[in-house]
Amino acid sequence: MADMLSPTAAVPAVIRRADYRVPDWLVPDIALDFDLDPALTRVRATLSVVRNGDHDRPLRLDGDGLIPLEVKVDGQVLEETQWHLEAGALIVALSSETHSVETLVELAPESNSKLMGLYASGGLLCTQCEAEGFRRITFFPDRPDVLSRYSVYMVADKVRFPVLLANGDPIEQGDLADNRHWARWNDPFPKPCYLFALVAGDLACNADSFVTMSGREVQLGIWVKEVDLPRTGHAMKALKDSMAWDERIYGREYDLDVFNIVAVADFNFGAMENKGLNIFNSRYILADPETATDIDYDGVEGVVAHEYFHNWSGNRVTCRDWFQLSLKEGFTVFRDQNFSADMGSHAVKRIEDVRILRAAQFQEDSGPLAHPIRPESYMEISNFYTATIYNKGAEIIRMMALMLGPERFRAGTDLYFDRHDGEAATCEDFVLAMEEGGQIDLMQFRRWYEQAGTPHVRALLSHDPVSQSVELTVEQMVPPTPGQPDKQPMAIPLRTALFDPATAQHHGDELLMLTEPKQSFTFTGFASAPVLSINRGFSAPVIVETNRSQADLAFLSAHDDDPFARYEAMQQLMVNVLIGRIAGHDVDDAPVIEAVRNTLTDPVLDPAFIAEAIRLPSEAYLGDQMKIVDPDAIHAARDALQQKIGAELEALWRDIHAGTKANGFSLSSAAKGTRKLRNAALHYLVASGAEDGPAIAFAQFGEADNMTERQAALATLANGTSAERVAALDIFYNRYSADALTLDKWFQTQAFAFHPDAVEQIEELGRHKDFTLSNPNRVRSLYGAFAGNQWAFHHKSGKGYRLVADCIIALDKLNPQTAARLVPNLGRWKRFDETRGALMRAELQRILAEPGLSKDVTEQAGKSLE
Ligand code: TRP
Ligand code: ZN
């Protein structure tokens, strides 16, 4: 056997999409009986199993770290010779077509530091089963195409666990001797085991209700610790808005009589869509003006919506296997993005979403971990909850929606939901429903599911004054990615308009479809050369290169009527100056400063848009524009331009800052936009070097009646070395150290800061008494944020790499899933100079040499070295 030949380097097995086989046994019903206790929980499971097809293979029930204390078939206890364990799974030979199989196991939730399966968090007991956590609770065919009806019985101490929740509807509850009590819940909808959930704890409820479009009343509950109850109002509003929106936009209504949400402090991801019992990272539930920023409020709204929308896109129609993950995640992200746009500003939401896509997904697509939205293989599925599956997946759905238009897209989704309700479906099923319901041929478009890498599009416009025509020549190139050296041309929808510079008008927005490696489009009736506006609304997730001059971009930054394209022109204008300067050219920055001035003084623009448009591209985005990233040169060039914009427009920044002080807090879009602009003005004012800058920031920090302004002031100060920096950090700590989510901001602000001693500060914060590896939010606030601070993390000494690698190694022993998510930061070594690249590789090798390394980290670090 392979492991015997090389006992130390156990290479995890590769799971392939092509190897899919239908399950050997189905489980139409399961009854679970929990005797809950943090130190020792007993789980008895009774499965009705049915042979699926004509075969004589045994029943195989996945298990991870479980020991069967008892195995019964049809009520008879089996001898230990009648079953065996194979890689953790329980194997039982069965003779008939149907049987009842019963197992008993014991768990220790309080020592479950992986936060997968049944675990303890802040005195609660809760579960996380997606993707493969159910096998840590009981023996079961842990795959999403085995759907069962669940009946759950729980017993627990009534004082410590007065509230007992599970999926579906509450059936009955009662008291027992010794201060114990019980509850029974039934979920009538067959579901895969990754959607199972239970919660036991001392929880208070924000109770409300919602009447569905068919007139059914649903009881809504958001369950939190008593002290947090006042912070649940925004989440409840978001839930009701989401329920109404899914009825209005997709015609989908909620299907159970209760919908519960529980907030927990220790959680590996954002939240989980368990049927009727969503479990959330508390950071996506709790919000009040004193502790939550506007970004936090929007995060709560978006994630509550996301999990709620999964009830149809994920639960009613689930995934056949984990290769189809984007079927539910890409579609659900698309749905939550559009919901948030409808609740606020479409323009600003699109800009924010594209910024996230570029920061997280484009980087993934150009690195060693690049994969298509429907991967071909994996070792550990948890590693595939990526920006590609989620955010690029959403862009693929968005392109289909654009090509179809709203009515035909809705016909496609109706067909998809109706045809696959109650089933485990594939991405291909979704595309087929779009083709049939939407009347479109998506043959070539399917390549978006198959090919990884961000397509590059080169669009060159040429004008012929004689024929008064313009020709747009477009070439596309999909770069090679691991395992995919050669690519086929993609179907790329590009919304395009040609502006007459004299009138600042265009003749309408056209959807150009690229299908060939090189194509040209001719437009007539142009006496003079128009200005090209392309990929408007970011209609395709591609990188566009054009031959537009700085003057063209300045024109678009002032006149494009597509808000995304207008923002994009501004960004490109800035990128050209910065990248040009980094390459040693003497590029004029006057057009940038004028464009910022124009934008600030344009009377029709809304403040939130202005704040987005005047923002300099991030250091990471600038790095993406370079063949070899030079973090120090990027930082210096960006800092200098920021200082110049700050100084040249100082009077404007002062006016805006003084004129945007609100009296009284509101969550209206207008108020949020005003705060965004006010913070941007403060940022530029401090960057200008004005002597009173830190004092103004410190005043805002102290006077703010909301966290959006207070935290922005703190972040601005954290970038410098003023006395106010130290004072503000101390005040913040003393005021908020008792509240974990707010203390996370204290760690995160310092981890994101541009400070000459950033690395030393992170090292010190890692030893701070409030730092802990056992809380994923805290780890992400410090090390996750630091690894995203390009200048600090890529310090040429390599000490930033060492810090993050040390964290990965230590965390892997507790929580491999969260540890593995830090690895990609070290994986982009090909994009850096040789010195940095060698240091990054050395850390990856050091990680891989660690004995007992998890499958999660082994896969990420191993692939990163290839
Ligand atoms: N399905 C969840 C979502 O997108 C993601 C998730 C929550 C998750 N917890 C997890 C994925 C744990 C893997 C492991 O809403
Ligand atoms: Zn999701």
Side-chain angles (χ1 to χ4, degrees):
M1 282 207 307
D3 343 341
M4 282 175 151
L5 294 174
S6 53
T8 48
V11 181
V14 175
I15 321 286
R16 289 177 205 285
R17 183 167 73 89
D19 292 345
Y20 176 81
R21 275 201 344 208
V22 299
D24 284 340
W25 291 85
L26 300 177
V27 186
D29 291 282
I30 174 172
L32 286 163
D33 177 343
F34 287 88
D35 188 343
L36 292 164
D37 182 89
L40 192 145
T41 289
R42 302 179 133 242
V43 186
R44 190 174 284 282
T46 309
L47 285 60
S48 72
V49 303
V50 178
R51 196 182 299 268
N52 189 29
D54 185 15
H55 67 80
D56 56 7
R57 287 184 289 277
L59 175 70
R60 182 191 170 93
L61 302 175
D62 295 302
D64 178 2
L66 302 179
I67 298 165
L69 301 178
E70 191 173 88
V71 182
K72 286 189 197 168
V73 172
D74 301 327
Q76 299 296 308
V77 177
L78 296 192
E79 307 278 313
E80 295 216 0
T81 52
Q82 292 174 288
W83 55 264
H84 69 278
L85 292 179
E86 200 178 285
L90 176 67
I91 316 290
V92 189
L94 296 175
S95 53
S96 304
E97 294 304 290
T98 64
H99 291 277
S100 159
V101 176
E102 196 176 318
T103 63
L104 174 67
V105 297
E106 286 177 355
L107 313 172
E110 70 186 8
S111 40
N112 179 355
S113 63
K114 293 186 180 175
L115 314 185
M116 290 297 287
L118 178 67
Y119 67 93
S121 172
L124 306 178
L125 290 174
C126 66
T127 55
Q128 172 56 40
C129 295
E130 186 175 7
E132 297 180 336
F134 194 66
R135 62 182 67 185
R136 292 166 55 78
I137 296 175
T138 192
F139 288 105
F140 195 80
D142 191 353
R143 44 187 290 169
D145 58 351
V146 173
L147 279 67
S148 320
R149 268 180 306 269
Y150 282 67
S151 158
V152 176
Y153 176 82
M154 289 175 272
V155 177
D157 184 279
K158 196 172 178 172
V159 179
R160 293 166 76 190
F161 305 104
V163 174
L164 301 174
L165 306 171
N167 312 94
D169 297 311
I171 302 301
E172 230 189 312
Q173 63 183 71
D175 287 339
L176 298 167
D178 305 330
N179 271 327
R180 289 160 66 77
H181 69 149
W182 61 273
R184 181 181 296 287
W185 290 72
N186 276 356
D187 182 357
F189 290 93
K191 65 170 176 287
C193 66
Y194 81 86
L195 291 173
F196 166 79
L198 75 73
V199 173
D202 188 359
L203 293 163
C205 182
N206 174 352
D208 209 322
S209 66
F210 179 85
V211 178
T212 69
M213 60 186 185
S214 70
R216 272 188 322 101
E217 183 168 320
V218 181
Q219 303 306 318
L220 311 176
I222 298 183
W223 301 81
V224 297
K225 297 236 173 80
E226 177 94 54
V227 289
D228 289 327
L229 213 47
R231 300 206 275 173
T232 56
H234 192 64
M236 183 57 87
K237 178 182 182 309
L239 175 58
K240 292 196 280 184
D241 286 342
S242 306
M243 295 177 87
W245 189 89
D246 213 13
E247 293 184 350
R248 187 159 56 82
I249 305 297
Y250 285 88
R252 299 290 131 189
E253 113 179 270
Y254 188 64
D255 49 15
L256 284 161
D257 295 336
V258 299
F259 186 82
N260 285 315
I261 292 179
V262 179
V264 302
D266 305 285
F267 202 74
N268 280 349
F269 283 80
M272 182 63 213
E273 69 263 26
N274 317 300
K275 183 80 188 187
L277 178 56
N278 288 186
I279 297 181
F280 271 63
N281 186 328
S282 52
R283 69 172 294 214
Y284 291 114
I285 289 296
L286 306 179
D288 64 14
E290 173 70 14
T291 60
T293 62
D294 293 340
I295 294 174
D296 295 332
Y297 272 101
D298 290 349
V300 167
E301 181 181 76
V303 178
V304 166
H306 179 97
E307 306 311 331
Y308 174 73
F309 295 155
H310 268 315
N311 191 54
W312 275 97
S313 50
N315 302 1
R316 288 289 287 259
V317 182
T318 192
C319 298
R320 186 191 72 172
D321 56 70
W322 292 120
F323 295 102
Q324 319 299 328
L325 183 58
S326 199
L327 174 69
K328 74 177 176 83
E329 296 303 349
F331 187 23
T332 303
V333 170
F334 172 74
R335 280 151 55 70
D336 83 55
Q337 288 176 346
N338 289 341
F339 164 77
S340 295
D342 283 352
M343 294 293 123
S345 151
H346 281 247
V348 172
K349 177 65 177 157
R350 189 66 186 136
I351 291 167
E352 289 168 349
D353 289 340
V354 174
R355 195 188 308 115
I356 293 168
L357 184 81
R358 285 171 164 164
Q361 201 280 323
F362 280 21
Q363 294 222 353
E364 203 162 81
D365 242 355
S366 63
L369 298 167
H371 53 277
I373 66 163
R374 184 183 56 205
E376 295 300 335
S377 68
Y378 62 76
M379 293 176 190
E380 170 53 60
I381 186 57
S382 296
N383 288 334
F384 283 79
Y385 287 73
T386 59
T388 298
I389 303 293
Y390 277 67
N391 304 63
K392 187 175 183 178
E395 295 297 325
I396 307 315
I397 308 294
R398 184 176 299 275
M399 285 189 283
M400 289 190 260
L402 173 69
M403 292 185 295
L404 289 167
E407 284 82 27
R408 283 155 65 214
F409 180 67
R410 172 66 194 271
T413 61
D414 280 353
L415 182 60
Y416 169 71
F417 286 127
D418 294 345
R419 183 185 277 174
H420 298 291
D421 189 9
E423 289 180 7
T426 62
C427 295
E428 177 60 20
D429 291 328
F430 186 90
V431 177
L432 279 168
M434 285 295 132
E435 286 190 314
E436 285 179 46
Q439 298 294 305
I440 190 174
D441 177 355
L442 294 168
M443 213 46 184
Q444 185 182 9
F445 187 83
R446 280 175 172 78
R447 285 186 189 141
W448 285 103
Y449 284 88
E450 291 153 17
Q451 296 192 150
T454 308
H456 289 247
V457 171
R458 218 177 132 74
L460 304 178
L461 192 69
S462 63
H463 177 241
D464 177 15
V466 179
S467 61
Q468 303 208 337
S469 67
V470 281
E471 185 170 50
L472 180 64
T473 309
V474 196
E475 285 179 75
Q476 60 159 302
M477 193 276 293
V478 189
T481 48
Q484 296 186 336
D486 301 306
K487 299 286 170 63
Q488 300 296 310
M490 309 281 257
I492 300 175
L494 291 178
R495 282 182 46 210
T496 304
L498 296 170
F499 279 84
D500 178 346
T503 62
Q505 301 290 317
H506 61 81
H507 306 299
D509 194 306
E510 268 196 66
L511 188 63
L512 303 183
M513 279 304 304
L514 308 194
T515 52
E516 306 292 326
K518 184 171 181 174
Q519 272 166 279
S520 57
F521 302 89
T522 306
F523 307 87
T524 51
F526 289 92
S528 56
V531 179
L532 172 67
S533 172
I534 193 164
N535 206 17
R536 291 155 69 80
F538 201 71
S539 60
V542 300
I543 294 167
V544 180
E545 205 191 300
T546 65
N547 58 345
R548 294 177 297 189
S549 65
Q550 290 291 80
D552 290 343
L553 293 170
F555 168 83
L556 293 170
S557 81
H559 301 293
D560 203 317
D561 58 337
D562 177 73
F564 177 80
R566 186 167 180 176
Y567 156 85
E568 183 77 338
M570 191 85 154
Q571 291 288 296
Q572 196 57 51
L573 199 61
M574 292 168 169
V575 165
N576 291 347
V577 170
L578 291 165
I579 294 295
R581 288 183 169 179
I582 291 163
H585 306 301
D586 181 19
V587 192
D588 186 12
D589 55 23
V592 168
I593 290 163
E594 281 325 297
V596 172
R597 188 199 308 276
N598 268 331
T599 306
L600 289 175
T601 51
D602 189 323
V604 305
L605 293 177
D606 91 86
F609 176 83
I610 296 175
E612 294 292 345
I614 61 170
R615 201 157 132 158
L616 285 180
S618 72
E619 296 193 358
Y621 185 67
L622 292 166
D624 291 345
Q625 317 305 310
M626 301 173 71
K627 204 161 159 45
I628 295 295
V629 185
D630 183 341
D632 295 323
I634 291 171
H635 182 72
R638 189 175 178 277
D639 226 33
L641 183 57
Q642 191 157 275
Q643 191 274 327
K644 182 123 182 240
I645 298 172
E648 299 246 326
L649 305 176
E650 188 180 325
L652 268 174
W653 301 126
R654 282 186 193 274
D655 280 358
I656 292 170
H657 188 257
T660 46
K661 191 166 168 27
N663 64 59
F665 179 79
S666 154
L667 266 178
S668 69
S669 287
K672 290 199 291 191
T674 302
R675 283 192 286 273
K676 205 179 222 184
L677 184 57
R678 173 173 168 79
N679 289 336
L682 177 70
H683 186 80
Y684 273 115
L685 183 56
V686 172
S688 75
E691 227 174 291
D692 58 351
I696 294 172
F698 193 72
Q700 175 173 322
F701 172 81
E703 291 161 14
D705 67 352
N706 63 83
M707 185 52 86
T708 305
E709 289 180 24
R710 178 165 292 126
Q711 205 238 342
L714 183 68
T716 299
L717 289 170
N719 284 340
T721 52
S722 61
E724 285 88 345
R725 175 192 213 264
V726 181
L729 283 168
D730 278 353
I731 293 169
F732 193 98
Y733 178 84
N734 291 326
R735 183 158 172 172
Y736 298 114
S737 62
D739 179 56
L741 292 174
T742 315
L743 188 56
D744 286 340
K745 293 185 180 0
W746 185 78
F747 280 96
Q748 191 193 51
T749 303
Q750 296 179 75
F752 273 145
F754 295 134
H755 187 280
D757 302 324
V759 189
E760 286 70 21
Q761 291 182 354
I762 302 305
E763 197 165 7
E764 223 179 287
L765 287 169
R767 291 192 297 258
H768 192 278
K769 70 174 172 55
D770 292 309
F771 183 77
T772 169
L773 285 177
S774 63
N775 178 262
N777 287 356
R778 192 57 52 82
V779 172
R780 286 186 283 258
S781 297
L782 185 59
Y783 291 99
F786 171 64
N789 181 342
Q790 180 169 281
W791 182 56
F793 175 60
H794 291 281
H795 191 280
K796 61 181 183 303
S797 63
K799 50 192 183 179
Y801 307 145
R802 199 183 331 125
L803 266 185
V804 170
D806 284 345
C807 171
I808 291 168
I809 290 169
L811 183 57
D812 190 52
K813 297 178 171 43
L814 295 171
N815 185 336
Q817 220 175 70
T818 299
R821 295 188 86 78
L822 291 169
V823 176
N825 298 300
L826 290 165
R828 299 181 62 250
W829 52 270
K830 281 188 185 138
R831 305 277 292 108
F832 290 82
D833 57 83
E834 271 178 45
T835 312
R836 287 187 172 88
L839 290 163
M840 292 167 87
R841 277 200 314 280
E843 294 302 336
L844 288 167
Q845 270 146 357
R846 181 161 72 91
I847 292 168
L848 275 173
E850 205 45 40
L853 200 67
S854 69
K855 185 159 72 155
D856 310 58
V857 172
T858 303
E859 176 175 34
Q860 297 302 72
K863 287 182 174 172
S864 296
L865 275 169
E866 279 165 19

